[in-house]
Structure formats: C-alpha cells, structure tokens
Amino acid sequence: MADGQPLSLADLRSGVAPGEVPLRAAEVRVQLDGREVRIIAAHLLVKEMTMLETFRWRIAAAVALAFLLTAALGFLLLRRGLRPLRRIAEQAAAITPARLHSRLEAADTPVELSQLSQAFNAMLERLDDGYRRLTQFSADLAHEIRTPVGSLMGISQVTLQQPRSVDEYQGVLASNLDELERIARMVESILFLARADDAQAVLDLHELELEEEMQRIVAYFEGPADERQLQLRHQGGGRLRADPMLLRRALSNLVANAIRYADAGSEILIRVREEKGACLIQVENCCSPLQPAQLERLFDRFYRADLARQGGESNGLGLAIVAAIMRLHGGAVSVAQDAARRIRFELRFNAA
C-alpha cells in the first residue's frame, strides 16, 4: 500500500503457515530517512480455529441430540396415535365363531377410524346372521332327514323280523319308495337353494304372457283343488320378462301352499296388476289366522306355521324357494293377512 493511505480489507492477504494453520497478513510501504521501508504484519488464526472447532462439535452434538429427541417424540406420538388401531386389532382378534355377537367399541374411536369400525361391525352383523342361519339350517336339515330315514329303518326292521308274503313286501317297498321320493324332493330343493344363493346364477329371461302362465297353473292344480272343494281362478294379465321355469316354480309353490292350508270350500285367487311401474302377482286364499311373528318367518327354510300339518308333501322349503327365485329376479316377495283371515302372497317384479 502506498505511503499515507489507510489500510482496507482489500489489503489483507490470506495464507497458510507451517502446520496447516491459516493466517492473515497485511503489507505497507513507508519512507523512513529517505529510504523506502516495507512493513509486513501477520496474524495466526489459532484461537479462531479452536473456537470454530468447538462450535463444530457443539453443532454436531446439538443436531444429534435433536435427531434423537425428534425420533423419540415421533415414536411416542406414533405409539399414542396407533393405540386405537391396536385396540381394534385386539378386539378383532378376540372375535371367534362362538363370539360373532361381539362388536368393536366405537366410543373412543377417532374420527379417522370410525368409518372403518362401522364397516367392520356391519360385516360382523352379516356374518353373525349368516352363521346363525347356517347353524339353524343344518339343525333343521338333520331333523328333517332323520325323520324319513328313521321311518325307513323302522319299517325295514319290522319287516325283516319274520317272513312276509309278496304283497306285504311290495307294500313295504312302496312305503319306502314314498319316503325316498320325499328325501329326493328335499335334496333337490336344497340344491336349488344353494344354486340360487350363488351370485353367478344365470337367468334365462323371456317375454311371458302372464294370462297364459296363470291358465297353465290353474289347469295343473285343478285336480288337487277339487279334492278339497276349492275354487281356483285367475284375474288380470300382462307381459313380464322373467325366467319361465323359475316363474312357474314360484307360482306352483304358492298355489300348492294355498291348496294345502286354505279353508275347505274357499276360493284361491291368482291376480296380476301393475303398480308404479312394477308387476305384481298375488295369490290369495282364506286360512287360519297367523301371528305377525309367524308371517315374518314363513320364508325361512324348514319353517312351518301350522305344526299340526308338518307331515305330508310339505318339507318347509317351498316358500324359501319362492324368496330365492325373487332375489334372482331382483324383485321381492311379501305376505300379509287381513282381518277377514284372507292371506295374500305378493311377487313384485320391478320394471328394470
């Protein structure tokens, strides 16, 4: 720097002393006794480097401590946040086939998990209902099959106790054949219900003239109706897109049920009418009054409202088959009885 000029930062020079120690130096030139003298001053940054090294370790320790604290805090918050999910998992693990009535507690469930809890409880409701139905169905099936099998065994044992004539053996075989036919009908009905419960079941839909279908049903059941002095007639008509075989089976089951339980000498009416875009097929007859609880269970498998008439051709599956057929068609079946003891079964086929 020239003589008489003040020093500035631009005049500082950086360098490295032996031992890799950084330094700062400045140089000035002055006139002394007519001679030019160059003065150089330098400063070793030992204390500054020591201070920076200390700061470096402190920063590294602070970062490491902050990371550990953040991880620990995150773990605690995550564990606390997942506590409702663990509680749900524990409750779900405790649910077994014998405890399908248990439900997830939704009182302390966070909003984020409430929808999951409700959906899980709804699924448990469906499973519980299906399991109870399956258990009841198995018990009813065992009971229903035990009766004809026990009858076959009893008749055969009595017949074999002593020699019989040809006519007696033929009578026993005919009786056994009746029981076997009853079992065969029951098995066929159970298989139909199993297929109807399959979502992959395919319908063979056709446009049907309902008046022709009702005439066919009336002609088929005219003989059994005459035996009980019943008048069988139909009313109305129209067109319906449905599976012919399944529709005839549903109507046949309803009419057969009406003939079996209708008051002797009364009338059975098959009626078709339109209501709000839906096609309604009704089968009406007079019979003994039923309680509301009995009406609700008429479509259950193996259920019979009239316990005094459990024998004969009925196996308690006819109305269950009707309900299955209506589910396949996307419709519904209902039953109601008025004060005049007239009971009405209604098949509702939606326009869609």
Side-chain angles (χ1 to χ4, degrees):
M1 186 190 68
D3 184 18
Q5 298 295 326
L7 290 173
S8 64
L9 292 177
D11 298 323
L12 293 177
R13 299 291 182 266
S14 298
V16 179
E20 301 296 329
V21 179
L23 59 83
R24 294 288 185 271
E27 176 186 359
V28 295
R29 295 179 182 182
V30 297
Q31 296 293 328
L32 185 60
D33 296 334
R35 292 183 302 174
E36 185 180 67
V37 178
R38 187 171 62 177
I39 302 173
I40 301 175
H43 174 67
L44 296 176
L45 304 178
V46 176
K47 292 183 179 181
E48 288 80 355
M49 293 300 299
T50 302
M51 183 180 61
L52 290 177
E53 186 69 17
T54 302
F55 286 166
R56 184 181 299 113
W57 283 108
R58 289 180 178 178
I59 292 174
V63 170
L65 181 60
F67 176 79
L68 293 177
L69 291 176
T70 302
L73 183 61
F75 174 78
L76 294 176
L77 292 177
L78 185 62
R79 185 177 179 82
R80 181 181 179 85
L82 293 179
R83 185 181 302 170
L85 190 60
R86 290 198 305 274
R87 185 172 61 250
I88 291 176
E90 292 172 357
Q91 295 174 2
I95 297 175
T96 62
R99 298 184 57 190
L100 284 178
H101 60 278
S102 301
R103 298 293 179 268
L104 300 182
E105 298 179 2
D108 299 330
T109 304
V111 178
E112 295 81 1
L113 298 177
S114 60
Q115 187 174 1
L116 174 63
S117 179
Q118 294 172 4
F120 196 85
N121 284 337
M123 180 189 69
L124 287 176
E125 288 284 350
R126 296 190 296 270
L127 288 176
D128 188 23
D129 180 69
Y131 190 79
R132 284 188 287 104
R133 287 177 177 271
L134 180 60
T135 302
Q136 184 64 39
F137 177 71
S138 301
D140 293 339
L141 179 60
H143 175 74
E144 293 293 330
I145 292 181
R146 181 180 60 182
T147 301
V149 170
S151 177
L152 288 172
M153 292 178 61
I155 294 174
S156 299
Q157 290 171 353
V158 171
T159 303
L160 293 174
Q161 286 180 355
Q162 60 183 7
R164 306 284 179 176
S165 65
V166 174
D167 292 338
E168 288 176 328
Y169 281 124
Q170 288 179 346
V172 171
L173 291 176
S175 177
N176 289 350
L177 182 60
D178 291 339
E179 292 295 336
L180 290 173
E181 289 177 348
R182 179 184 173 189
I183 295 176
R185 288 194 299 270
M186 185 186 307
V187 171
E188 192 275 335
S189 298
I190 294 171
L191 290 176
F192 174 83
L193 289 172
R195 290 193 298 268
D197 289 338
D198 184 5
Q200 303 300 322
V202 179
L203 298 177
D204 184 18
L205 300 178
H206 295 277
E207 287 288 338
L208 303 177
E209 289 289 345
L210 292 179
E211 186 173 2
E212 296 179 2
E213 297 297 330
M214 289 188 296
Q215 290 175 352
R216 182 183 287 107
I217 296 295
V218 169
Y220 181 80
F221 286 98
E222 187 174 2
D226 290 340
E227 292 180 2
R228 300 199 63 228
Q229 294 83 45
L230 297 172
Q231 181 182 1
L232 186 60
R233 67 185 183 91
H234 63 87
Q235 183 182 92
R239 297 179 65 84
L240 175 65
R241 185 170 177 81
D243 189 302
M245 297 299 297
L246 295 183
L247 176 63
R248 293 164 191 165
R249 183 163 189 175
L251 288 177
S252 297
N253 287 357
L254 291 179
V255 174
N257 181 78
I259 292 175
R260 184 178 300 113
Y261 297 111
D263 295 339
S266 61
E267 176 190 70
I268 298 176
L269 173 63
I270 309 175
R271 177 169 53 198
V272 178
R273 64 189 185 91
E274 298 284 337
E275 180 183 276
K276 297 180 180 179
C279 179
L280 306 181
I281 304 178
Q282 300 171 339
V283 178
E284 298 182 5
N285 65 278
C286 287
C287 68
S288 302
L290 299 176
Q291 298 298 323
Q294 293 176 306
L295 292 175
E296 292 178 358
R297 294 195 58 195
L298 283 182
F299 299 102
D300 291 349
R301 299 174 183 182
F302 295 114
Y303 179 76
R304 300 182 185 91
D306 191 350
L307 299 179
R309 301 183 182 180
Q310 285 195 8
E313 299 295 324
S314 174
N315 54 24
L317 293 174
L319 296 181
I321 290 176
V322 174
I325 290 174
M326 294 308 298
R327 285 196 299 269
L328 286 175
H329 284 83
V333 59
S334 60
V335 60
Q337 190 174 33
D338 56 23
R341 300 171 53 203
R342 193 160 186 84
I343 191 169
R344 174 191 298 164
F345 289 89
E346 182 178 272
L347 307 181
R348 174 180 291 269
F349 292 87
N350 298 320

